[in-house]
Amino acid sequence: MKAMIFAAGRGERMRPLTDTCPKPLLKVRGRPLIVWHVLNLVRAGITDIVVNHAHLGHMIEEALGDGARFGAHIRYSPEATALETAGAVAQARHLLGEEPFVAISGDIYIPYFDFAQVCDALPDCDVLGNVYTAEQRDIAWLYLVENPPYHPQGDFGLDFYSIRNEGQPQWTFANIGVYRPEMFDGIVPGSHAKLGPLLREHAARGRVGGEVYGGDWANVGTAEQLAALNGGVRA
């Protein structure tokens, strides 16, 4: 399985820190956010990684290189301006191949997530070995977390392992998902496209699965959250 790390965001709410440093290179507990992801992916045996970038992207390439020192093979998908999440995948399709891949935002802190679990998230057959039809199999698998204080309304409901647009309780998308590449076929490479509407479209068709992750997780969106994490306080 391949992985994609989204690292193109400008990080407006983190300014002035992100005026001179791309957000994924900001350090939490002595290590850049994006390096936490690379190391955890490699630990799970996922070594073929694609990183998109835009704002100060050259700094990300300089920091990670080809990935060899981490035990990874890293390739880059540069964007003149950030294309949003779904647009970034469409732009990088030629690097991701035709098998399901895991994608993670470069600005979340999730130090203990075991990426080995994502390899079986989108099976092609049921437990009896019966092959799913194209319409039966999930096209995406999302990891959800409890709603943080700044996002109390959540994003999705969860009915057993099926993601729902409605229903209670609502959970927050952790910005980690496994996707079949064909989910992005309708997006022209180089165009701007958000992931949320695409997920909701397929969830309405019953083709998005998911589960709740209960470990440490933080969306590092502000300088205050970053400081709290580095001070040993969970943000």
Side-chain angles (χ1 to χ4, degrees), residues 2 11 19 84 90 96-97 112 144 146 167 185 192 210:
K2 295 182 180 181
D19 286 342
E84 302 284 359
L96 292 168
Y112 308 117
L144 311 175
E146 290 186 2
D185 281 348
H192 291 74

Side-chain angles (χ1 to χ4, degrees), residues 102-125:
V102 60
I104 179 170
S105 292
D107 59 357
I108 65 171
Y109 175 65
I110 187 165
Y112 308 117
F113 187 83
D114 182 7
F115 281 96
Q117 65 187 297
V118 308
C119 298
D120 300 320
L122 292 178
D124 290 321
C125 57

Side-chain angles (χ1 to χ4, degrees), residues 87-156:
V89 174
Q91 179 77 356
R93 274 291 301 273
H94 64 292
L95 299 175
L96 292 168
E98 298 304 321
E99 298 298 320
F101 63 94
V102 60
I104 179 170
S105 292
D107 59 357
I108 65 171
Y109 175 65
I110 187 165
Y112 308 117
F113 187 83
D114 182 7
F115 281 96
Q117 65 187 297
V118 308
C119 298
D120 300 320
L122 292 178
D124 290 321
C125 57
D126 63 22
V127 294
L128 299 177
N130 300 308
V131 178
Y132 292 129
T133 66
E135 288 302 316
Q136 288 176 324
R137 65 184 188 178
D138 285 337
I139 201 165
W141 186 271
L142 309 183
Y143 292 89
L144 311 175
V145 293
E146 290 186 2
N147 300 330
Y150 55 83
H151 190 60
Q153 72 275 18
D155 298 308
F156 296 103

